[in-house]
Amino acid sequence: MSETERRRAVRILIVDDETIVRQSLADWFQQDGYEVHTAQNAKEALRVVAEHPADIAFLDIKMPGMDGLTLQARLA
């Protein structure tokens, strides 16, 4: 399996309420060949993960509603 195929096999979830942070991280990982899904809050993240399970999640700690630590516990 090539490096690109290995990266494509890793699914990343990025959750951040700040659009610029979320999009910058997503762009960076996508350019490196990873499959990336994003969400602007924890509630949306749970919906995204139901359809696109993630291997790695980058979570903002302080978000309106459910915070990143609570989301982490729900994703585990």
Side-chain angles (χ1 to χ4, degrees):
M1 178 182 286
S2 73
E3 181 66 24
T4 301
E5 290 170 326
R6 272 194 293 278
R7 287 180 180 176
R8 202 170 288 134
V10 175
R11 298 164 301 205
I12 298 174
L13 172 67
I14 299 170
V15 185
D16 199 302
D17 58 328
E18 293 185 44
T19 304
I20 190 69
V21 172
R22 188 175 63 244
Q23 195 57 54
S24 294
L25 287 170
D27 290 347
W28 180 38
F29 285 114
Q30 286 171 337
Q31 287 173 6
D32 278 350
Y34 293 96
E35 178 183 332
V36 179
H37 297 277
T38 64
Q40 65 182 347
N41 57 51
K43 187 176 180 180
E44 182 181 348
L46 292 171
R47 284 194 305 265
V48 169
V49 167
E51 291 184 32
H52 307 282
D55 300 305
I56 300 170
F58 292 90
L59 309 175
D60 187 1
I61 298 297
K62 294 183 180 183
M63 294 183 288
M66 186 187 312
D67 66 26
L69 295 174
T70 304
L71 175 57
Q72 180 183 10
R74 297 270 309 265
L75 292 174

